C-alpha cells in the first residue's frame, strides 16, 4: 500500500502537523525532530507529493519559470538550477515557454499563475526586464524574482539576481587589447535583452580606456543565434578595412562567426580572433574552442529560487532581501591569439 503522511507521523512518533511543518521547511522545528521525521520518511521511502499538498492546503508548493529564449542551453541550465532548489525545499516546478512579444502576454502570465496556483515566479530576460510584467504580478500579490543584467544593487530593483555583463565584457575586450588587437568588431544580441546593451557598453568602455574610438561599421545589430553570427561576420569580413578580432555577444553568435570565417578560408586565430560569452556547449564544440566568459546559469537559477523561497516559505517572509551579483569569468581558449604583424 502507498505510504502516507500518517505512516510517517506514526513511525517518527510525532503529530501529522509536525511532519507537515518539517516537509515545509518551517524554521521553528527543532533539529532533533527534523532528523526523526526525515529518517522515518527515508525508511518508509515516502515521497511528498507537492500537487497533493497544493490541493489539501491554502498554500502552494509550486513555482513557475516562464521563458522566451532561443538559446536551448541557457534554458536547460536554468531549469536544472531551479529543479535542484525545488527538490531541496519540497516544491514542484512548472515550466512555461511562451512568446514575450505576444500582445496578450501580461494576461497570459496572470492566468498561468492563478490557474496553476503558483507560489511565485522566476523571471529571466526578456520577461525580467518588462516592467508591465512586474507591475501586474505585484497587483495580484504574487511573489517573483528577476534575473537581470546589471552591476550595482539598487533599492528600486528588489528581488533581483544581477549578472554583471558590463564588467565581464570589459575584461573580454581587454584580453583582446592585450593581444595587440585594436580593430575589434562587436556582434550584438537581441536589442530587447539588456544583456546585449550591457555587453556592448563594457566593450566600448574598454576601448575608450585605451584611447581607441569605436568604429560604427564594426558594431553589427543582430540576435542571439548562430544564423545572426554567420550573417554579421560575413558583413564584417566583406569590409575593405576588416577587423582582426570579433567579440560576439554570446557563444552561438561566435560559433556562427567562426563558421563564416571558415567558409572564407580565414584561419582562426592566426588571421582572426573570435570570442563569445556564456561558456555554453557551443564554446567547447567548435574548433578551435572559443575564448568566452563563463556564466554559471544553473547556480544563478538556484540563487534566484532561494531568494524566491524567502517569501514563499512559512516563517521566512521577514528575512532581509539581498541582491546576489554574478560576474562571468574570462575563459581563455584557442580562438584568440596575438594580432598578426603586417609584413
Amino acid at each position: 500500500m502507498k505510504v502516507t503522511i500518517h505512516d510517517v507521523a506514526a513511525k517518527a512518533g510525532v503529530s501529522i502537523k509536525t511532519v507537515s511543518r518539517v516537509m515545509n521547511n518551517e524554521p521553528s522545528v527543532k533539529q532533533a525532530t527534523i532528523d526523526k521525521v526525515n529518517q522515518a520518511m527515508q525508511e518508509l521511502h515516502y515521497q511528498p507529493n507537492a500537487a497533493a499538498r497544493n490541493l489539501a492546503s491554502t498554500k502552494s508548493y509550486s513555482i513557475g519559470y516562464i521563458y522566451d529564449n532561443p538559446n536551448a542551453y541557457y534554458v536547460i541550465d536554468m531549469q536544472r538550477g531551479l529543479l535542484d532548489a525545488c527538490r531541496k525545499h519540497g516544491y514542484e516546478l512548472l515550466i512555461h515557454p511562451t512568446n514575450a512579444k505576444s500582445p496578450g502576454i501580461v494576461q497570459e502570465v496572470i492566468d498561468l499563475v492563478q490557474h496553476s496556483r503558483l507560489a511565485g515566479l522566476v523571471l529571466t530576460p526578456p520577461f525580467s526586464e518588462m516592467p508591465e510584467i512586474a507591475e501586474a504580478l505585484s497587483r495580484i500579490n504574487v511573489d517573483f524574482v528577476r534575473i537581470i543584467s546589471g552591476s550595482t544593487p539598487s533599492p528600486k530593483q528588489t528581488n533581483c539576481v544581477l549578472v554583471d555583463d558590463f564588467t565581464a565584457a570589459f575584461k573580454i575586450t581587454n584580453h583582446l587589447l592585450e593581444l595587440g588587437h585594436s580593430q575589434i568588431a562587436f556582434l550584438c544580441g537581441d536589442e530587447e535583452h539588456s544583456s546585449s546593451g550591457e555587453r556592448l557598453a563594457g566593450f566600448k568602455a574598454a576601448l575608450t580606456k585605451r584611447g581607441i574610438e569605436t568604429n560604427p561599421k564594426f558594431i553589427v545589430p543582430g540576435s542571439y543565434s548562430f544564423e545572426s553570427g554567420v550573417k554579421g561576420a560575413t558583413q564584417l569580413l566583406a569590409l575593405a578595412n576588416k577587423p582582426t578580432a570579433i567579440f560576439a555577444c554570446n557563444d552561438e553568435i561566435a560559433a556562427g562567426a567562426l563558421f563564416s570565417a571558415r567558409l572564407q578560408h580565414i584561419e582562426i586565430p592566426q588571421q582572426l580572433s573570435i570570442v563569445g560569452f556564456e561558456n555554453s556547449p557551443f564554446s567547447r564544440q567548435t574548433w578551435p574552442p572559443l575564448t568566452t566568459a563563463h556564466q554559471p546559469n544553473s547556480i544563478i537559477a538556484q540563487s534566484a529560487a532561494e531568494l524566491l523561497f524567502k517569501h514563499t516559505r512559512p516563517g521566512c517572509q521577514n528575512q532581509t532581501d539581498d541582491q546576489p551579483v554574478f560576474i562571468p569569468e574570462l575563459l581563455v581558449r584557442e580562438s584568440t591569439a596575438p594580432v598578426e604583424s603586417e609584413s
Side-chain angles (χ1 to χ4, degrees):
M1 294 178 64
K2 186 176 181 180
V3 178
T4 68
I5 191 172
H6 297 81
D7 300 318
V8 175
K11 179 81 172 176
V14 298
S15 68
I16 294 173
K17 184 176 180 180
T18 299
V19 175
S20 179
R21 289 167 63 200
V22 171
M23 290 193 301
N24 296 335
N25 296 308
E26 295 187 21
S28 58
V29 185
K30 294 180 180 178
Q31 187 59 49
T33 303
I34 295 172
D35 293 340
K36 280 199 303 183
V37 172
N38 285 335
Q39 183 177 349
M41 288 194 291
Q42 185 175 1
E43 291 177 0
L44 294 170
H45 304 290
Y46 177 71
Q47 295 292 328
N49 188 311
R53 283 190 292 162
N54 281 346
L55 292 173
S57 170
T58 57
K59 176 176 167 53
S60 173
Y61 295 92
S62 299
I63 64 170
Y65 169 45
I66 59 173
Y67 67 89
D68 179 7
N69 192 309
N71 186 341
Y73 293 118
Y74 175 87
V75 173
I76 290 169
D77 282 346
M78 283 289 159
Q79 291 178 7
R80 184 181 297 116
L82 293 172
L83 283 168
D84 286 345
C86 285
R87 291 189 186 105
K88 175 182 174 183
H89 293 282
Y91 277 70
E92 295 288 331
L93 177 66
L94 176 67
I95 299 166
H96 183 75
T98 188
N99 180 6
K101 295 179 181 179
S102 168
I105 187 59
V106 174
Q107 189 60 48
E108 180 182 341
V109 172
I110 292 174
D111 290 343
L112 173 72
V113 171
Q114 294 178 332
H115 293 168
S116 303
R117 294 191 64 226
L118 297 179
L121 283 175
V122 173
L123 302 175
T124 55
F127 298 106
S128 57
E129 297 158 355
M130 298 168 64
E132 61 271 30
I133 296 287
E135 291 167 4
L137 292 173
S138 296
R139 281 197 303 271
I140 60 174
N141 296 316
V142 172
D143 294 313
F144 60 92
V145 169
R146 294 176 289 169
I147 299 173
I148 61 176
S149 182
S151 56
T152 307
S154 167
K156 296 180 180 180
Q157 293 179 324
T158 57
N159 304 336
C160 291
V161 175
L162 304 178
V163 180
D164 190 352
D165 292 293
F166 178 93
T167 298
F170 185 96
K171 290 180 178 180
I172 291 175
T173 308
N174 198 54
H175 165 67
L176 294 172
L177 292 167
E178 289 176 347
L179 292 174
H181 296 278
S182 59
Q183 298 292 95
I184 309 172
F186 188 93
L187 297 178
C188 301
D190 299 82
E191 62 179 0
E192 63 265 27
H193 287 248
S194 294
S195 58
S196 184
E198 287 289 313
R199 293 169 193 178
L200 178 58
F203 166 77
K204 289 181 175 179
L207 294 181
T208 300
K209 188 172 181 180
R210 295 292 186 100
I212 300 172
E213 290 187 11
T214 304
N215 183 342
K217 292 183 179 180
F218 282 1
I219 309 297
V220 181
S223 62
Y224 283 121
S225 68
F226 180 90
E227 293 77 15
S228 181
V230 174
K231 181 180 178 181
T234 301
Q235 176 181 327
L236 288 168
L237 297 174
L239 296 172
N241 180 28
K242 297 179 178 60
T244 62
I246 293 176
F247 183 157
C249 214
N250 77 347
D251 295 329
E252 260 189 276
I253 300 173
L258 193 152
F259 179 76
S260 174
R262 281 282 174 77
L263 290 178
Q264 300 179 57
H265 306 290
I266 295 173
E267 295 184 4
I268 310 297
Q270 294 85 349
Q271 295 175 290
L272 177 69
S273 287
I274 297 176
V275 299
F277 201 107
E278 287 178 13
N279 192 31
S280 75
F282 270 102
S283 68
R284 302 183 291 277
Q285 293 165 354
T286 62
W287 184 258
L290 291 168
T291 292
T292 187
H294 173 60
Q295 182 170 305
N297 289 324
S298 289
I299 296 174
I300 292 170
Q302 285 184 47
S303 179
E306 293 287 351
L307 188 55
L308 180 60
F309 292 143
K310 285 186 178 182
H311 295 270
T312 61
R313 285 172 53 197
C316 297
Q317 286 84 351
N318 295 323
Q319 292 187 14
T320 302
D321 289 337
D322 52 2
Q323 290 184 333
V325 180
F326 291 87
I327 303 177
E329 298 178 359
L330 174 66
L331 278 179
V332 178
R333 295 197 181 108
E334 290 88 346
S335 68
T336 53
V339 64
E340 272 194 339
S341 57
E342 294 183 7
S343 55

